[in-house]
Amino acid sequence: MLKSKKRIPAFSLTELLIVLVIIGILVLLALPNLMPLISKAKSTEAQLQLEHIHTLEKSHFYMYSKYSNDLDEIGFEQEKLVTEDGRANYLIEIVEAGVTTFRAKATAIVDFDGDGTFNVWEIDQDKNLKEVTKD
């Protein structure tokens, strides 16, 4: 019995490599345009954490008639940062707290777009959430 050597239609290794190189070039061209979207998505973490801080500070204020400087005292637990094998991209801290006011800040520990600027968000007792430094 003789086996026939039929060729199956397929792509050659060279053709596949050329397609991969073209896809790589297209990704490199598109990546700078996507960086602002990535930064915006990651800044959502800071906004949510600061809104949570606001809620905890308001609860503390209603109980003790003052705001607190201590994250532990209000019941906030900072998730492990990316630099410590965690998932959090922002360091949360209370900048100032008094009888009638407080201000909390979220500072990025990662430069999302590689320009040397780190994203910073702040919130106050009136829930005024603002981006202090854009990344």
Side-chain angles (χ1 to χ4, degrees):
M1 272 194 182
L2 293 172
K3 288 189 175 182
S4 64
K5 293 187 176 185
K6 276 187 166 179
R7 289 191 67 137
I8 300 173
F11 295 109
S12 69
L13 181 60
T14 307
E15 292 169 329
L16 289 175
L17 289 175
I18 289 171
V19 168
L20 288 175
V21 167
I22 291 171
I23 290 172
I25 291 170
L26 291 174
V27 166
L28 286 175
L29 291 174
L31 194 58
N33 295 333
L34 295 175
M35 289 311 290
L37 294 175
I38 292 169
S39 296
K40 185 176 180 182
K42 291 197 179 206
S43 72
T44 304
E45 173 190 341
Q47 295 170 36
L48 290 173
Q49 293 295 332
L50 288 175
E51 287 175 0
H52 182 58
I53 290 283
H54 178 266
T55 302
L56 293 172
E57 282 282 13
K58 279 296 185 183
S59 296
H60 186 272
F61 178 78
Y62 293 140
M63 290 175 62
Y64 302 105
S65 298
K66 66 176 183 171
Y67 293 106
S68 174
N69 267 328
D70 187 12
L71 291 173
D72 291 331
E73 188 177 342
I74 63 173
F76 181 80
E77 187 175 325
Q78 170 78 51
E79 188 172 337
K80 276 189 163 183
L81 300 172
V82 173
T83 55
E84 302 167 352
D85 297 327
R87 297 182 325 174
N89 292 304
Y90 286 86
L91 176 65
I92 309 296
E93 56 191 341
I94 297 174
V95 179
E96 62 179 285
V99 176
T100 59
T101 62
F102 87 91
R103 191 166 47 102
K105 178 170 76 168
T107 307
I109 59 163
V110 177
D111 183 10
F112 301 123
D113 59 5
D115 66 353
T117 305
F118 292 87
N119 192 227
V120 179
W121 286 83
E122 284 187 354
I123 196 165
D124 63 12
Q125 71 282 348
D126 297 324
K127 205 173 184 178
N128 295 323
L129 182 64
K130 63 180 177 179
E131 188 174 23
V132 177
T133 307
K134 294 186 181 207
D135 186 11

